[in-house]
Amino acid sequence: MGFFARNPNTKSGEYLEGMLNDYVGGKTKVRAQKSSSARLVTLLTCFQFAFAVYATFLLYYMTPSIDLGTKPDFTWATRFAQKWKNHFLVQPFVVSRYQESSSSLIQSEIFSPVTPAEVCENEKIDFVQKKSSDALMIKLKTGLYEQVLDHQSKTHGTETLAELMAMKSRYDLKGPNIPKVTVILNHFKRKTLCAQLESLLHQTLPFHHVWVLSFGSPNELSLRRIVESYNDTRISFISSSYDFKYYGRFQMALQTEGDLVYILDDDMIPGRKMLQILSHVAGTEKYKNSVLGSIGRILPFRQKDFTFPSYRKFRSKEAGLYLPDPAYDITVDKIVKVDFLSSSWFLSADLIKTLFIEKPMTFMTGEDLHLSYQLQKYRNAGSFVLPVDPKDKETWGDSEHRLAYVSETTVIFKDIVQVRDDQWWKALSTGYITQWAAMYPQKIDALFYAHTVEEVKVLAPLLEKFRSTVGKKAYIAVSGGNFCPCADAASALNWPLVVCRERRFKIFDLEVGALSGISNSEVPVVQAVYASMKGLIKMHNPSVVITVNDIDPNVMKALKMATETNTNGSVLILLPRSSVSKVLWMADLRATALPNWNRMRISVNIITQNRVQSLTRLLNSLSNAYYLGDEVPISFNMDSKVDEATLKHVKSFNWPHGPKTIRRRIIQGGLIRAVSESWYPSSDDDYGLLLEDDIEVSPYYYLWIKYALLAYHYDPQIALPELSSISLYTPRLVEVVKERPKWNGTEFFKNIHPNTPYLHQLPCSWGAVFFPKQWREFYVYMNMRFTEDAKQNPVQIPKSRTNGWQASWKKFLIDMMYLRGYVTLYPNFPNQASFSTNHMEPGAHISAKDNVVKHDKSDFEVPLLKEDFRNFLPNGKMPPASKLPSLNLFNQAVSLKGLKAAGAKLRQDVIGCNVTEIVHVDHDTGLPSHCAKF
């Protein structure tokens, strides 16, 4: 063990004794004494004393706590102990491979201490800095750099070196907060170690430690000799016969006890002010969560064909930037954010471990990109190239830039370029927000997420509908790895496998399965999905993120958190698998309407008393409808005379879509109170569906309501304030005319489109959703106008049979809508098929003793829609609001302005207005406030 090679046949005592005599200058060999035993005893006694003195010094100075570099030099004892201490403390596996071959060299060094001047070598630079003469490239590169700086100056600021040094910092040269900086130098074959050490030893801010690493280097011995020649306990040499490549130095950095870590390639010779500058900037509030360096890259920008080029594409602005770039006279005079740093990294020791959250795509290259990618993705930390003072090379991180420029192997070898291209594209595809993404934020309609191949298949129809709709953009992210490999997802979508390799946005493989591995913990999955999707959402700003509602709960948590972090309002939509194919109309909605998907709350409010068979039929139809995973509360509103069978059925009814509420009146109130008091909105997004128990609904009724609300009410680009309700039912009669003539919407609108939805001034009482603002308004209006005797009501609509209606809540709603120009949206399908039908069963109105009107069931009962209604709409979708025809109370075509004019002309509202005005209402309270022109 150790440095010293010796003859194994020589006794240790003789070997050591001879070495000692030689070292202290004794040239005469010890001769055996033949004459006298007394002289022999005397001589041995002298040797024993001398050895005792020597051993005392040797043991003292070999103590690990003793710093030999700072103690007095006791000539031969100190130097000898120094050599033996190194021999015993050095790692055996590091030196053993050189033990025999170098024994003579090291033995000679024991007797003559080495100085840096004797062992140092300098790198020869016999070439000039490359300068481009390509005028086009100079223009492209400098132009792109100016664009980058301009964008960054507007978003987060770009300071000069003087401005940075003027910022307040927690670290100070004078104390008490002098940072402990660990410098890590990684060396293989270059001859720059001495230049680096000389620079570091003369820094204006002293380093805490320097670790010189030699992994698998053929120059290990010479590197070791250089380190030892400096005889500085702050400088350590660490070596291994195994080459840990580029990641080994970062693994070593995990061991530091310092505050900050400065990792340098062997081609970086920092100016003598660098530690001071770097520490100061790292101590500022703005840049404390950053990695700082002297050389960086800005990754490629998207091309006109929507693909991304290689970062080594020549004569292309889109290939990105190398900063600084002397070839194009680009000097960094302001701090600039880059996509990754090269050659040197200065950062908080706490940030180092972030590099190893995800397994790198390869350990052969790309540690620079992987570090910046992981820091941004998991710590929201940026990568910055510091500015320099062009007149002061001591402020430069690479005072001899030619070394770094010529040694950039990442641009020399084609295979390495390909690997690095694959690596940065993978990063961009898994949420890395590059400078291009920051400068050009995208806007897409939908981002799908599938955790398994089965989920890909379920979401495929809706994804394809988005992608095939003109003007729509939609991508899909898959978990990757063992969960859902990109190739399997592409196959399920019938896409070519090239989509998993080409640098074009279409499918994002997050490789979550590869990251989580065999762990049973949910943490890696949640972390990976959240971090990746957060970046993708921020980059692409989808209106909605769509997945299935039975996805893995941990993935669902991650998706919810990721969408909530986006300040641009992306919304997570969780769809039941059975509903995905039923909401293809989602792709026809404007991008501005889609984020409101989850805002509305539609409650089902049933009025019932003693028709349990009718109620059962209604409840069965409600249970068989599609609800898209929304929460839909249901309430039962029963008058005081409700029968026992109804009470039992209501109590036992199971409603899985939301809370169930049961209300029962103490005093019999009649239909007018039962309906009008069955629902009151709790917010402006609370909508009430009112159903009497003899109604039956289509399985598609809820889809119709949601589609209509999103298309005509929740789209900020659509102005339709007159819309106050949405009908499920299509009337077959002109209800308000005494003769009640039959009416067919498909025939009436055949010149526009036979199945166009339309706006009608008549509200519907046989299945309709009422809007919160107008319902509050209706409550106040009815309170102000309610009379037991219909003839005493001041509102008399010309030629309307509603003037004589008594005990009808609908009469008051008709009056209000007529006076103020409100309308209801009605469906209009072949054979007047609808989303609800009225079975005309005996009750408060139908077959009542005081009702002289005879009702023919065939005039009111309509077929229910049993298939996707999109197939009947004009061009397969809801028409634009401006294309919706409008009818007055008597089924005559009248513009919305004409409807308001007719109401104003009557001048019978609760506030007296002239013929050019209608009553304006405070929609928070429903109270009329003033007259306003229409």
Side-chain angles (χ1 to χ4, degrees):
M1 181 174 78
F3 284 124
F4 298 104
R6 66 188 184 197
N7 188 334
N9 298 320
T10 304
K11 294 182 180 179
S12 59
E14 296 175 355
Y15 175 77
L16 188 61
E17 184 180 62
M19 181 184 296
L20 179 60
N21 286 325
D22 287 346
Y23 192 81
V24 298
K27 303 297 183 180
T28 305
K29 297 292 182 181
V30 179
R31 296 188 295 270
Q33 187 61 253
K34 300 180 181 179
S35 58
S36 168
S37 60
R39 292 180 61 187
L40 177 62
V41 171
T42 302
L43 185 60
L44 289 174
T45 301
C46 291
F47 271 115
Q48 185 178 10
F49 176 74
F51 188 79
V53 174
Y54 153 73
T56 300
F57 280 101
L58 182 64
L59 290 173
Y60 175 74
Y61 280 95
M62 285 180 63
T63 303
S65 61
I66 299 302
D67 187 349
L68 295 174
T70 60
K71 297 298 177 181
D73 185 1
F74 287 94
T75 61
W76 63 271
T78 300
R79 293 195 297 274
F80 196 80
Q82 174 76 58
K83 295 300 178 180
W84 274 90
K85 180 176 179 179
N86 289 340
H87 165 63
F88 284 113
L89 295 183
V90 76
Q91 291 293 336
F93 78 93
V94 174
V95 300
S96 60
R97 59 193 289 235
Y98 302 103
Q99 185 171 336
E100 295 183 5
S101 63
S102 60
S103 59
S104 59
L105 172 65
I106 296 173
Q107 187 171 351
S108 66
E109 289 180 5
I110 294 176
F111 304 99
S112 55
V114 181
T115 64
E118 295 176 281
V119 295
C120 279
E121 295 180 285
N122 295 314
E123 192 88 5
K124 293 182 180 179
I125 307 176
D126 53 2
F127 59 90
V128 296
Q129 174 64 57
K130 177 184 175 182
K131 293 286 185 179
S132 175
S133 59
D134 189 330
L136 175 61
M137 279 301 297
I138 294 173
K139 180 180 179 180
L140 291 176
K141 293 291 185 181
T142 54
L144 180 57
Y145 181 51
E146 290 171 1
Q147 291 177 26
V148 170
L149 279 182
D150 181 63
H151 173 264
Q152 293 186 7
S153 66
K154 294 175 182 176
T155 53
H156 53 79
T158 51
E159 297 87 5
T160 63
L161 181 59
E163 290 171 337
L164 287 171
M165 298 307 291
M167 295 170 67
K168 184 178 180 180
S169 175
R170 61 175 293 199
Y171 297 125
D172 189 3
L173 267 175
K174 301 176 182 179
N177 294 320
I178 298 177
K180 294 180 179 179
V181 181
T182 299
V183 183
I184 299 178
L185 308 176
N186 193 57
H187 275 264
F188 192 71
K189 284 187 177 181
R190 305 205 72 147
K191 301 175 182 180
T192 53
L193 178 56
C194 290
Q196 288 182 321
L197 291 175
E198 287 296 327
S199 172
L200 292 170
L201 285 166
H202 294 88
Q203 289 288 314
T204 54
L205 176 71
F207 58 80
H208 183 59
H209 283 297
V210 171
W211 295 347
V212 179
L213 309 184
S214 171
F215 294 147
S217 170
N219 297 344
E220 179 180 338
L221 278 180
S222 60
L223 294 171
R224 177 184 295 280
R225 292 176 67 205
I226 290 172
V227 171
E228 291 176 351
S229 72
Y230 279 91
N231 196 26
D232 191 327
T233 56
R234 297 174 302 161
I235 306 174
S236 302
F237 183 75
I238 304 167
S239 65
S240 169
S241 59
Y242 181 79
D243 187 358
F244 289 98
K245 293 291 184 180
Y246 305 103
Y247 283 86
R249 49 189 165 173
F250 292 97
Q251 291 170 316
M252 288 300 303
L254 294 172
Q255 302 294 320
T256 182
E257 296 177 355
D259 305 303
L260 301 161
V261 181
Y262 191 22
I263 302 174
L264 290 164
D265 275 357
D266 55 9
D267 52 26
M268 297 294 286
I269 303 173
R272 299 186 181 187
K273 296 178 182 178
M274 277 311 296
L275 285 186
Q276 179 186 355
I277 294 171
L278 288 164
S279 298
H280 179 87
V281 176
T284 64
E285 185 65 26
K286 183 174 182 179
Y287 295 105
K288 66 180 181 181
N289 186 41
S290 303
V291 54
L292 310 173
S294 303
I295 301 175
R297 272 196 177 276
I298 291 179
L299 287 166
F301 285 38
R302 192 164 66 176
Q303 302 176 123
K304 292 181 180 179
D305 65 352
F306 296 101
T307 63
F308 289 83
S310 168
Y311 77 102
R312 287 301 297 161
K313 182 177 181 181
F314 295 100
R315 295 183 65 80
S316 170
K317 175 182 177 181
E318 289 77 18
L321 292 170
Y322 173 81
L323 299 173
D325 199 337
Y328 303 106
D329 288 327
I330 296 178
T331 301
V332 177
D333 54 4
K334 294 181 179 180
I335 191 168
V336 57
K337 191 173 186 180
V338 294
D339 293 323
F340 67 91
L341 297 168
S342 296
S343 301
S344 68
W345 302 265
F346 189 90
L347 67 165
S348 164
D350 181 58
L351 292 176
I352 291 289
K353 55 181 172 287
T354 313
L355 176 67
F356 302 100
I357 292 179
E358 292 182 15
K359 182 180 179 181
M361 191 173 78
T362 175
F363 284 102
M364 300 301 293
T365 185
E367 82 293 351
D368 43 10
L369 171 61
H370 193 65
L371 176 64
S372 293
Y373 161 54
Q374 295 288 275
L375 284 173
Q376 185 206 88
K377 185 173 179 178
Y378 293 104
R379 299 295 289 268
N380 198 29
S383 301
F384 296 88
V385 171
L386 287 183
V388 300
D389 180 350
K391 299 178 181 179
D392 184 2
K393 277 203 170 186
E394 302 301 345
T395 67
W396 294 17
D398 56 334
S399 55
E400 184 44 79
H401 190 76
R402 285 178 294 173
L403 287 171
Y405 201 82
V406 76
S407 66
E408 197 183 11
T409 58
T410 57
V411 303
I412 297 174
F413 302 108
K414 182 179 179 181
D415 291 343
I416 293 180
V417 171
Q418 181 61 53
V419 170
R420 291 178 68 89
D421 273 337
D422 292 342
Q423 187 183 23
W424 72 253
W425 174 248
K426 174 184 173 293
L428 186 62
S429 300
T430 54
Y432 187 38
I433 302 171
T434 64
Q435 296 312 299
W436 169 82
M439 292 172 64
Y440 299 99
Q442 303 298 290
K443 179 59 185 173
I444 65 173
D445 297 276
L447 177 60
F448 290 76
Y449 180 83
H451 203 64
T452 66
V453 177
E454 285 304 313
E455 290 170 12
V456 173
K457 294 177 181 178
V458 170
L459 295 169
L462 186 55
L463 173 62
E464 284 305 312
K465 180 63 169 65
F466 266 99
R467 293 185 62 82
S468 62
T469 301
V470 176
K472 297 293 181 183
K473 286 184 180 179
Y475 309 134
I476 184 170
V478 297
S479 57
N482 298 327
F483 297 129
C484 181
C486 181
D488 292 352
S491 177
L493 292 166
N494 293 319
W495 290 356
L497 292 181
V498 70
V499 299
C500 295
R501 298 189 302 272
E502 62 180 352
R503 293 193 288 270
R504 180 193 300 273
F505 294 140
K506 192 170 185 179
I507 185 169
F508 306 120
D509 183 349
L510 306 188
E511 294 197 2
V512 175
L515 173 62
S516 63
I518 60 174
S519 172
N520 290 327
S521 172
E522 72 278 5
V523 174
V525 173
V526 173
Q527 181 179 5
V529 174
Y530 166 70
S532 292
M533 290 299 290
K534 178 189 69 171
L536 289 176
I537 290 170
K538 186 175 182 180
M539 190 187 313
H540 296 284
N541 295 289
S543 297
V544 289
V545 177
I546 302 173
T547 190
V548 295
N549 70 346
D550 60 348
I551 198 169
D552 180 277
N554 296 312
V555 175
M556 186 184 296
K557 291 177 188 175
L559 293 174
K560 285 181 178 179
M561 290 191 295
T563 52
E564 288 169 359
T565 59
N566 187 27
T567 57
N568 291 328
S570 297
V571 169
L572 177 63
I573 296 179
L574 303 169
L575 293 175
R577 299 188 184 218
S578 60
S579 297
V580 171
S581 61
K582 305 296 188 299
V583 291
L584 301 185
W585 46 263
M586 187 188 297
D588 296 319
L589 294 168
R590 293 178 188 263
T592 49
L594 281 171
N596 296 299
W597 183 272
N598 297 325
R599 274 185 62 182
M600 63 195 74
R601 185 174 184 265
I602 304 166
S603 61
V604 177
N605 303 276
I606 298 172
I607 299 94
T608 187
Q609 182 168 253
N610 53 18
R611 296 188 293 200
V612 69
Q613 291 183 340
S614 301
L615 177 62
T616 301
R617 180 182 57 217
L618 171 61
L619 294 179
N620 287 338
S621 66
L622 288 168
S623 297
N624 292 328
Y626 301 103
Y627 293 98
L628 308 180
D630 293 355
E631 182 182 78
V632 181
I634 191 169
S635 70
F636 294 88
N637 303 276
M638 303 173 292
D639 226 328
S640 62
K641 295 181 181 179
V642 60
D643 60 17
E644 181 182 1
T646 300
L647 282 170
K648 288 183 177 180
H649 190 65
V650 168
K651 181 182 178 182
S652 63
F653 176 67
N654 178 46
W655 182 248
H657 306 291
K660 179 178 75 172
T661 304
I662 302 174
R663 303 187 187 95
R664 182 180 179 182
R665 291 182 62 90
I666 297 175
I667 301 173
Q668 190 76 6
L671 190 59
I672 191 170
R673 291 180 178 85
V675 174
S676 59
E677 296 176 9
S678 64
W679 168 75
Y680 193 82
S682 60
S683 73
D684 288 346
D685 296 306
D686 189 4
Y687 299 83
L689 170 61
L690 307 187
L691 297 171
E692 294 185 47
D693 54 17
D694 62 343
I695 304 297
E696 185 179 5
V697 297
S698 158
Y700 292 88
Y701 89 90
Y702 187 84
L703 306 184
W704 161 255
I705 296 170
K706 186 139 187 163
Y707 189 6
L709 282 172
L710 289 165
Y712 300 129
H713 186 67
Y714 275 107
D715 188 344
Q717 297 185 20
I718 300 296
L720 196 57
E722 299 86 359
L723 186 61
S724 65
S725 58
I726 299 171
S727 174
L728 306 182
Y729 180 79
T730 305
R732 284 182 167 178
L733 300 175
V734 182
E735 190 177 353
V736 300
V737 176
K738 184 177 181 180
E739 297 78 14
R740 292 190 302 171
K742 292 187 177 182
W743 188 80
N744 188 317
T746 56
E747 180 66 25
F748 188 88
F749 294 114
K750 64 182 180 181
N751 292 331
I752 301 174
H753 188 285
N755 300 130
T756 181
Y758 62 92
L759 304 174
H760 196 345
Q761 203 168 23
L762 178 74
C764 178
S765 58
W766 293 329
V769 170
F770 296 94
F771 289 18
K773 293 179 179 180
Q774 286 79 6
W775 192 257
R776 294 190 199 103
E777 185 177 344
F778 167 58
Y779 255 58
V780 173
Y781 177 85
M782 189 166 65
N783 179 268
M784 298 176 72
R785 284 294 169 86
F786 179 76
T787 58
E788 292 289 349
D789 184 356
K791 294 180 180 180
Q792 294 181 8
N793 194 304
V795 179
Q796 299 293 311
I797 299 174
K799 300 181 181 179
S800 173
R801 59 185 290 267
T802 61
N803 295 329
W805 287 2
Q806 298 186 41
S808 173
W809 65 275
K810 188 175 176 179
K811 179 247 186 312
F812 295 99
L813 184 55
I814 289 173
D815 289 351
M816 187 192 81
M817 291 179 66
Y818 186 87
L819 292 172
R820 299 175 185 175
Y822 292 142
V823 291
T824 297
L825 178 72
Y826 278 84
N828 177 34
F829 298 117
N831 197 28
Q832 293 171 295
S834 302
F835 299 102
S836 70
T837 188
N838 181 1
H839 290 288
M840 299 297 292
E841 292 169 347
H845 286 316
I846 306 299
S847 301
K849 294 180 180 179
D850 57 347
N851 193 341
V852 297
V853 179
K854 302 299 180 183
H855 295 89
D856 187 342
K857 192 172 183 178
S858 63
D859 291 336
F860 297 91
E861 197 170 33
V862 296
L864 291 173
L865 272 170
K866 299 293 185 181
E867 58 183 309
D868 193 343
F869 59 89
R870 276 190 326 118
N871 301 326
F872 302 111
L873 293 172
N875 300 316
K877 59 184 179 181
M878 291 282 200
S882 59
K883 300 294 184 180
L884 289 173
S886 55
L887 305 177
N888 67 6
L889 194 60
F890 306 100
N891 289 52
Q892 298 168 333
V894 180
S895 67
L896 294 177
K897 185 176 181 180
L899 297 179
K900 292 185 179 72
K905 182 179 180 181
L906 202 58
R907 303 190 67 182
Q908 294 176 357
D909 212 328
V910 294
I911 296 178
C913 300
N914 62 40
V915 294
T916 62
E917 298 174 324
I918 56 174
V919 173
H920 181 80
V921 174
D922 180 347
H923 284 299
D924 289 332
T925 62
L927 295 169
S929 60
H930 61 277
C931 297
K933 291 185 178 295
F934 57 87

